[in-house]
Amino acid sequence: MPARVAVPALHDAVQAKLREADQLYTSGRRELVEVLAGFDRPVTIYELLETRPKLTQSSVYRNLAGLVELEAVQKVVGADDRVRYEFAEDIIGHHHHLICTECGRVDDFRVPRSTERSLDTALQRAADAAGFAVAGHRLDAVGLCAACAA
Ligand SMILES: [Zn+2]
Ligand SMILES: [Zn+2]
């Protein structure tokens, strides 16, 4: 299970990024952060709109784009053409994604610290030949979610 960050802490983190960029935490952005906080996985704009039918697609797009630019929110690429959004890793912590190739669902997953270290070590060993200094990694597992595998 992904570690959930409490909503007030999410607001603080987003507000700090806005302040750094001399931007206001508008009610539209605040509401979007609250909607996004209700999910523990990357979601499409359609999923966001479904939970708050009063939001307009254009305002959600605009506010999402603003938060992506500030690096408070990041885009996640899945197995379909739909862009999904989640809070940036420096806000919700490092994690990985389980990507379903059948329905497109993307779930977060975390691995133990020791596994993270093994991954970094293995990647650095493989990257040594290219003279590449590994600073981090992105790792997705691709396959079938529980519902699609059943
Ligand atoms: Zn699925
Ligand atoms: Zn990792």
Side-chain angles (χ1 to χ4, degrees):
M1 276 300 288
R4 297 291 295 272
V5 178
V7 177
L10 288 172
H11 281 308
D12 287 348
V14 173
Q15 187 148 33
K17 284 175 187 269
L18 285 159
R19 201 178 297 129
E20 240 171 72
D22 268 329
Q23 291 188 30
L24 291 176
Y25 201 8
T26 61
S27 59
R29 285 170 170 175
R30 196 172 274 276
E31 186 168 21
L32 185 57
V33 165
E34 267 158 32
V35 180
L36 209 49
F39 294 91
D40 59 359
R41 58 184 171 84
V43 284
T44 63
I45 197 157
Y46 308 101
E47 288 176 295
L48 291 172
L49 289 168
E50 261 173 36
T51 61
R52 296 279 169 104
K54 271 190 236 156
L55 293 176
T56 64
Q57 189 159 325
S58 59
S59 77
V60 171
Y61 264 121
R62 190 180 61 246
N63 286 319
L64 270 177
L67 293 176
V68 168
E69 201 173 315
L70 286 167
E71 294 177 355
V73 168
Q74 63 184 22
K75 291 184 188 182
V76 174
V77 177
D80 54 19
D81 291 333
R82 291 186 165 187
V83 179
R84 287 171 175 75
Y85 298 89
E86 66 177 2
F87 291 108
E89 279 208 336
D90 66 334
I91 295 177
I92 58 168
H94 175 67
H95 62 279
H96 301 263
H97 294 129
L98 302 171
I99 297 173
C100 180
T101 53
E102 189 68 32
C103 69
R105 183 183 168 97
V106 179
D107 277 301
D108 286 359
F109 81 108
R110 288 166 199 264
V111 300
R113 223 171 244 285
S114 57
T115 309
E116 290 289 352
R117 274 197 298 270
S118 310
L119 274 169
D120 280 334
T121 304
L123 286 168
Q124 186 57 68
R125 208 171 287 144
D128 273 346
F132 188 88
V134 175
H137 61 255
R138 297 174 185 174
L139 177 74
D140 299 330
V142 179
L144 294 177
C145 73
C148 291

